[in-house]
């Protein structure tokens, strides 16, 4: 057994092993392209966050951000591991509900929730509805009154923190479509409105400063600002909010260039900032929630492809086409995201060639990577793309009428299908 790259990739007899199953066996049994998820790593990550919360806060709730990878099985696993979940649409909420996920542990997000979504959240008894704007607070108030409920509310705050990540996934700054700004007084107005609404129960505040963040300081700064705001609201209204949801965003390793920070390294300084600021402002230690998504499932996923045509353009580049592409992984075309790749059955072969790995969609930008170091590849070989567990399946599309891929879970040398692949008949099912 050899450990290849800095990440935990297990290779046996030159072959990539996923959850103890040889990659070639998975490809033979389920076909390619195929998403493979490592259950042991998902559970380990969930447990690490949960234990870390206990260690640094004594209490609190880890809500898995299910937008990273959403299907019935992941909600079952999250429940078994004692986590809550973050949902951001009726679809995610419905999936959680379909496996009887405990609704009191659900945080419901969205910058433009529909009436249907808010009604479902209230009807199902979602534990926290994260309100994004003033009209939503008004709407929630009358809907709760109509349904004879009290709506549990967090306010989404923009803490004004600039985290260094891709601008599409930066969310904490003032120019963001998400949440209430502090600088303009909007957040204070929202707090007052929520406190005075008879059918709302203002529990606390939420922020999410961005995604794939490697620095600790932005999280520390955000925590200070947020606890400071709890203090401001108490000073101005006398009302003390109890919940502090600090969102997700912890970076993971996509390639060897990435150096993720261990969970505990964030939790220590952030919890200290929360505690100190709370002390300074004379408020109780809040109940802390966090919402990791990518850091729970990202490195647990691998996509297996079969290599098709290889096209060398002398002095330009060599295209290596695989049987999937932007439909199953849109992250290169969206963010120029980089991935480590390796030939699954010759995993230790020296990577002495560079390829532009292309998909099979009718679109020149349909790439999975450029300048990807690999050994000289042959058509028919299996190519593994690592760390595809987050924002791949959940962002998949059917462009060019390519069916959505199946997802297989692997653990202890066994595999099981957790999401069936779409068939051609599935593709035309809703056509009239
Ligand atoms: N909480 C909230 C409110 C969020 O908006 C997000 C992610 C998370 C938690 C989880 O963040 P994570 O721990 O996964 O970084 N499609 C992009 C990522 C978009 C993230 C959106 N919000 C990508 O593929 O990189």
């Amino acid at each position: 057994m050899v450990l290849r790259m800095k990440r935990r990739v297990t290779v046996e007899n030159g072959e990539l092993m996923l959850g103890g199953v040889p990659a070639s066996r998975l490809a033979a049994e389920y076909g390619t392209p195929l998403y493979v998820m490592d259950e042991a790593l998902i559970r380990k990550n969930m447990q690490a966050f949960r234990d870390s919360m206990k260690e640094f806060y004594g209490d609190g709730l880890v809500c898995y951000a299910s937008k990273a990878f959403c299907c019935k099985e992941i909600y079952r696993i999250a429940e078994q591991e004692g986590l809550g979940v973050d949902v951001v649409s009726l679809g995610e909420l419905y999936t959680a509900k379909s496996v009887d996920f405990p609704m009191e542990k659900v945080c419901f997000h969205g910058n433009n929730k529909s009436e249907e979504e808010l009604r479902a959240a209230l009807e199902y008894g979602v534990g926290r509805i994260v309100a994004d704007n003033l009209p939503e607070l008004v709407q929630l108030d009358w809907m709760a009154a109509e349904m004879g409920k009290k709506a549990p509310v967090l306010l989404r705050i923009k803490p004004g923190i600039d985290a260094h990540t891709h601008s599409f996934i930066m969310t904490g700054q003032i120019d963001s479509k998400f949440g209430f700004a502090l600088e303009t007084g909007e957040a204070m107005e929202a707090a007052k409105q929520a406190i005075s609404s008879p059918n709302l129960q203002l529990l606390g505040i939420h922020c999410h400063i961005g995604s794939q963040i490697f620095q600790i300081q932005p999280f520390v700064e955000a925590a200070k600002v947020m606890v400071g705001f709890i203090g401001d609201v108490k000073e101005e209204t006398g009302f003390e909010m109890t919940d502090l949801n600090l969102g997700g965003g912890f970076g993971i390793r996509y390639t060897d260039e990435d150096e993720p920070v261990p969970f505990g390294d964030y939790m220590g300084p952030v919890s200290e900032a929360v505690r100190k600021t709370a002390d300074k402002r004379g408020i109780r230690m809040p109940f802390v929630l966090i919402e990791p998504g990518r850091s729970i499932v990202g490195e647990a996923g691998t996509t297996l492809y079969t290599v098709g045509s290889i096209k060398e353009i002398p002095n330009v580049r060599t295209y290596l086409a695989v049987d999937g592409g932007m439909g199953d992984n849109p992250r290169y075309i969206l963010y120029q995201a980089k991935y480590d790749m390796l030939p699954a059955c010759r995993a230790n072969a020296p990577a002495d060639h560079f390829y532009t790995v292309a998909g099979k969609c009718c679109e020149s930008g349909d790439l999975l990577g450029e300048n990807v170091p690999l050994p000289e590849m042959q058509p028919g070989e299996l190519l593994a793309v690592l760390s595809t567990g987050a924002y791949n399946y959940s962002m998949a599309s059917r462009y060019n009428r390519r069916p959505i891929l199946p997802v297989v879970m692997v653990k202890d040398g066994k595999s099981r299908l957790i999401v069936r692949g779409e068939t051609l008949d599935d593709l035309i099912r809703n056509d009239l």
Side-chain angles (χ1 to χ4, degrees), residues 63-68 86 88 109-110 130 156 166 168-169 171 178 206-208 210-213 245-251 254 290-296 330-331 334-335 337 339 390-392 394-395:
C63 291
Y64 162 64
S66 60
K67 72 207 76 184
D86 143 354
V88 72
H109 290 275
V130 185
R156 170 129 189 191
H166 193 288
F168 286 8
I169 51 179
T171 46
F178 300 103
H206 167 275
C207 72
H208 172 75
S211 204
Q212 186 62 358
I213 299 170
N245 185 333
L246 294 171
F250 316 107
Y254 282 103
I290 56 167
E291 297 171 334
R294 190 192 312 266
S295 47
I296 287 180
R331 297 193 71 258
L334 279 173
Y335 321 114
Y339 287 90
Y391 305 110
N392 273 230
S394 65
M395 290 174 76

Side-chain angles (χ1 to χ4, degrees), residues 342-415:
L342 51 92
C345 299
R346 294 188 294 140
N348 292 324
D352 48 9
H353 283 62
F354 287 93
Y355 288 98
T356 293
V357 178
K360 58 180 285 154
C361 284
C362 258
E363 175 117 1
S364 298
D366 173 24
L367 304 178
L368 294 175
E370 288 174 277
N371 295 314
V372 179
L374 286 167
E376 186 166 10
M377 299 291 287
Q378 303 299 328
E381 266 197 280
L382 264 190
L383 180 76
V385 179
L386 308 179
S387 293
T388 57
Y391 305 110
N392 273 230
Y393 169 72
S394 65
M395 290 174 76
S397 78
R398 296 180 186 79
Y399 182 46
N400 290 168
R401 281 245 150 157
R402 301 263 311 141
I404 304 289
L405 311 188
V407 187
V408 163
M409 191 70 95
V410 285
K411 185 171 181 250
D412 299 333
K414 295 199 184 82
S415 67

